[in-house]
Short mmCIF file of all heavy atoms in Angstrom, two decimals:
data_model
loop_
_atom_site.label_atom_id
_atom_site.label_comp_id
_atom_site.label_asym_id
_atom_site.label_seq_id
_atom_site.Cartn_x
_atom_site.Cartn_y
_atom_site.Cartn_z
N TRP A 97 21.02 -1.64 -1.68
CA TRP A 97 21.40 -0.22 -1.67
C TRP A 97 22.88 -0.05 -2.05
O TRP A 97 23.27 0.92 -2.69
CB TRP A 97 21.12 0.35 -0.26
CG TRP A 97 21.38 1.81 -0.13
CD1 TRP A 97 22.49 2.40 0.43
CD2 TRP A 97 20.53 2.89 -0.54
NE1 TRP A 97 22.38 3.76 0.40
CE2 TRP A 97 21.19 4.09 -0.19
CE3 TRP A 97 19.28 2.95 -1.17
CZ2 TRP A 97 20.63 5.34 -0.45
CZ3 TRP A 97 18.73 4.20 -1.43
CH2 TRP A 97 19.40 5.37 -1.07
N GLN A 106 27.23 2.13 -10.85
CA GLN A 106 26.88 2.90 -9.67
C GLN A 106 25.90 2.12 -8.81
O GLN A 106 25.01 1.45 -9.33
CB GLN A 106 26.18 4.21 -10.09
CG GLN A 106 26.96 5.05 -11.05
CD GLN A 106 27.55 6.28 -10.39
OE1 GLN A 106 27.79 6.28 -9.19
NE2 GLN A 106 27.76 7.32 -11.16
N SER A 107 26.04 2.27 -7.51
CA SER A 107 25.03 1.75 -6.59
C SER A 107 24.18 2.92 -6.13
O SER A 107 24.53 4.08 -6.36
CB SER A 107 25.70 1.10 -5.38
OG SER A 107 26.31 2.10 -4.58
N CYS A 108 23.07 2.63 -5.47
CA CYS A 108 22.26 3.70 -4.89
C CYS A 108 23.15 4.53 -3.98
O CYS A 108 23.11 5.77 -3.98
CB CYS A 108 21.09 3.16 -4.09
SG CYS A 108 20.14 1.83 -4.87
N CYS A 111 25.51 7.53 -5.15
CA CYS A 111 24.97 8.88 -5.27
C CYS A 111 24.33 9.37 -3.99
O CYS A 111 24.45 10.54 -3.65
CB CYS A 111 23.94 8.94 -6.40
SG CYS A 111 24.67 8.66 -8.01
N HIS A 112 23.62 8.48 -3.30
CA HIS A 112 22.82 8.94 -2.15
C HIS A 112 23.50 8.74 -0.81
O HIS A 112 22.98 9.18 0.21
CB HIS A 112 21.46 8.22 -2.13
CG HIS A 112 20.59 8.56 -3.30
ND1 HIS A 112 20.04 9.81 -3.49
CD2 HIS A 112 20.18 7.82 -4.37
CE1 HIS A 112 19.32 9.82 -4.61
NE2 HIS A 112 19.39 8.62 -5.17
N MET A 119 17.87 9.43 3.06
CA MET A 119 16.50 8.98 2.77
C MET A 119 15.55 9.26 3.95
O MET A 119 14.38 8.88 3.90
CB MET A 119 16.48 7.49 2.43
CG MET A 119 17.14 7.19 1.08
SD MET A 119 16.19 7.87 -0.32
CE MET A 119 17.49 8.68 -1.27
N VAL A 122 12.09 10.91 3.16
CA VAL A 122 11.84 10.92 1.72
C VAL A 122 10.54 10.17 1.37
O VAL A 122 9.67 10.68 0.66
CB VAL A 122 13.05 10.35 0.94
CG1 VAL A 122 12.68 10.07 -0.51
CG2 VAL A 122 14.22 11.32 1.02
N SER A 125 7.19 11.79 1.59
CA SER A 125 6.83 12.88 0.67
C SER A 125 6.29 12.35 -0.67
O SER A 125 6.00 13.13 -1.56
CB SER A 125 8.05 13.76 0.41
OG SER A 125 9.04 13.04 -0.30
N PHE A 126 6.16 11.03 -0.80
CA PHE A 126 5.68 10.42 -2.05
C PHE A 126 4.21 10.02 -1.95
O PHE A 126 3.74 9.78 -0.83
CB PHE A 126 6.55 9.19 -2.38
CG PHE A 126 7.80 9.55 -3.12
CD1 PHE A 126 8.94 9.95 -2.42
CD2 PHE A 126 7.83 9.55 -4.50
CE1 PHE A 126 10.09 10.32 -3.11
CE2 PHE A 126 8.98 9.91 -5.19
CZ PHE A 126 10.12 10.29 -4.49
N LYS A 128 4.98 12.06 -5.62
CA LYS A 128 5.52 13.41 -5.78
C LYS A 128 5.66 13.71 -7.27
O LYS A 128 5.93 12.81 -8.06
CB LYS A 128 6.87 13.38 -5.09
CG LYS A 128 7.69 14.58 -5.15
CD LYS A 128 9.10 14.28 -4.66
CE LYS A 128 9.23 14.32 -3.15
NZ LYS A 128 10.64 14.25 -2.70
N LEU A 138 7.03 6.14 -4.86
CA LEU A 138 8.39 5.80 -4.43
C LEU A 138 8.99 4.72 -5.32
O LEU A 138 10.15 4.82 -5.75
CB LEU A 138 8.37 5.34 -2.96
CG LEU A 138 9.72 4.95 -2.37
CD1 LEU A 138 10.72 6.10 -2.42
CD2 LEU A 138 9.55 4.45 -0.94
N GLN A 141 10.01 6.19 -8.59
CA GLN A 141 11.26 6.95 -8.47
C GLN A 141 12.46 6.01 -8.44
O GLN A 141 13.48 6.25 -9.10
CB GLN A 141 11.22 7.79 -7.18
CG GLN A 141 12.55 8.47 -6.84
CD GLN A 141 12.92 9.59 -7.79
OE1 GLN A 141 12.20 10.59 -7.88
NE2 GLN A 141 14.02 9.44 -8.52
N ILE A 142 12.34 4.92 -7.69
CA ILE A 142 13.45 3.96 -7.60
C ILE A 142 13.75 3.41 -9.00
O ILE A 142 14.90 3.34 -9.44
CB ILE A 142 13.12 2.82 -6.61
CG1 ILE A 142 13.09 3.38 -5.17
CG2 ILE A 142 14.13 1.67 -6.72
CD1 ILE A 142 12.54 2.41 -4.13
N GLN A 144 13.07 4.85 -11.83
CA GLN A 144 13.62 5.90 -12.67
C GLN A 144 15.12 6.06 -12.41
O GLN A 144 15.90 6.28 -13.34
CB GLN A 144 12.89 7.21 -12.44
CG GLN A 144 13.22 8.23 -13.49
CD GLN A 144 12.22 9.35 -13.53
OE1 GLN A 144 12.30 10.29 -12.74
NE2 GLN A 144 11.25 9.28 -14.41
N CYS A 145 15.53 5.95 -11.14
CA CYS A 145 16.97 5.99 -10.84
C CYS A 145 17.67 4.78 -11.46
O CYS A 145 18.80 4.89 -11.93
CB CYS A 145 17.22 6.04 -9.32
SG CYS A 145 17.00 7.71 -8.63
N ARG A 146 16.99 3.63 -11.47
CA ARG A 146 17.58 2.44 -12.11
C ARG A 146 17.85 2.72 -13.59
O ARG A 146 18.95 2.52 -14.07
CB ARG A 146 16.62 1.24 -12.04
CG ARG A 146 16.41 0.68 -10.66
CD ARG A 146 17.33 -0.46 -10.34
NE ARG A 146 17.23 -1.59 -11.26
CZ ARG A 146 18.12 -2.58 -11.28
NH1 ARG A 146 19.14 -2.58 -10.45
NH2 ARG A 146 17.97 -3.59 -12.13
N ARG A 149 19.68 6.81 -13.99
CA ARG A 149 20.93 7.11 -13.27
C ARG A 149 21.91 5.96 -13.30
O ARG A 149 23.11 6.16 -13.33
CB ARG A 149 20.64 7.48 -11.81
CG ARG A 149 19.57 8.54 -11.65
CD ARG A 149 20.13 9.91 -11.89
NE ARG A 149 19.05 10.91 -11.91
CZ ARG A 149 19.22 12.18 -12.22
NH1 ARG A 149 20.42 12.61 -12.54
NH2 ARG A 149 18.21 13.01 -12.21
N GLN A 150 21.39 4.71 -13.24
CA GLN A 150 22.29 3.57 -13.22
C GLN A 150 22.48 2.97 -14.61
O GLN A 150 23.42 2.22 -14.84
CB GLN A 150 21.77 2.47 -12.27
CG GLN A 150 21.85 2.87 -10.80
CD GLN A 150 21.36 1.75 -9.88
OE1 GLN A 150 20.22 1.32 -9.97
NE2 GLN A 150 22.22 1.30 -8.98
N LEU A 165 13.86 -2.68 -1.73
CA LEU A 165 14.41 -1.32 -1.72
C LEU A 165 13.37 -0.33 -1.22
O LEU A 165 13.70 0.60 -0.47
CB LEU A 165 14.89 -0.93 -3.12
CG LEU A 165 16.34 -1.30 -3.44
CD1 LEU A 165 16.66 -1.05 -4.90
CD2 LEU A 165 17.34 -0.54 -2.54
N VAL A 169 13.91 2.00 2.03
CA VAL A 169 13.80 3.47 1.96
C VAL A 169 12.66 3.96 2.87
O VAL A 169 12.83 4.91 3.63
CB VAL A 169 13.61 3.95 0.50
CG1 VAL A 169 13.28 5.44 0.45
CG2 VAL A 169 14.87 3.67 -0.33
C1 HEC B 21 23.95 8.43 -10.55
C2 HEC B 21 23.32 8.90 -9.35
C3 HEC B 21 22.12 8.13 -8.80
C4 HEC B 21 21.99 6.79 -8.56
C5 HEC B 21 22.97 5.68 -8.89
C6 HEC B 21 20.71 6.62 -7.92
N1 HEC B 21 20.09 7.81 -7.80
FE1 HEC B 21 18.35 8.14 -6.81
N2 HEC B 21 18.41 10.11 -7.36
C7 HEC B 21 19.42 10.70 -8.04
C8 HEC B 21 19.08 12.09 -8.30
C9 HEC B 21 19.93 13.12 -9.05
C10 HEC B 21 17.80 12.30 -7.73
C11 HEC B 21 16.97 13.57 -7.75
C12 HEC B 21 15.70 13.39 -8.52
C13 HEC B 21 15.91 13.13 -9.99
O1 HEC B 21 16.20 14.07 -10.71
O2 HEC B 21 15.73 11.96 -10.43
C14 HEC B 21 17.43 11.03 -7.12
C15 HEC B 21 16.27 10.82 -6.40
C16 HEC B 21 15.98 9.69 -5.65
C17 HEC B 21 14.91 9.56 -4.70
C18 HEC B 21 13.91 10.67 -4.31
C19 HEC B 21 14.60 11.62 -3.37
C20 HEC B 21 13.70 12.73 -2.92
O3 HEC B 21 14.12 13.46 -2.01
O4 HEC B 21 12.60 12.90 -3.47
C21 HEC B 21 14.93 8.28 -4.22
C22 HEC B 21 13.98 7.65 -3.22
C23 HEC B 21 16.02 7.60 -4.89
N3 HEC B 21 16.65 8.50 -5.74
C24 HEC B 21 16.36 6.28 -4.70
C25 HEC B 21 17.39 5.64 -5.37
C26 HEC B 21 17.64 4.21 -5.26
C27 HEC B 21 16.86 3.24 -4.41
C28 HEC B 21 18.71 3.96 -6.07
C29 HEC B 21 19.36 2.61 -6.36
C30 HEC B 21 18.47 1.64 -6.97
C31 HEC B 21 19.13 5.23 -6.65
N4 HEC B 21 18.30 6.21 -6.22
C32 HEC B 21 20.22 5.39 -7.51
C33 HEC B 21 20.61 10.11 -8.41
C34 HEC B 21 20.90 8.76 -8.32
#
Side-chain angles (χ1 to χ4, degrees):
W97 183 259
Q106 305 254 26
S107 69
C108 314
C111 294
H112 294 292
M119 290 293 132
V122 167
S125 67
F126 275 85
K128 176 192 278 189
L138 180 59
Q141 172 70 62
I142 291 170
Q144 192 163 82
C145 280
R146 290 267 302 168
R149 310 280 172 186
Q150 290 182 301
L165 272 172
V169 171

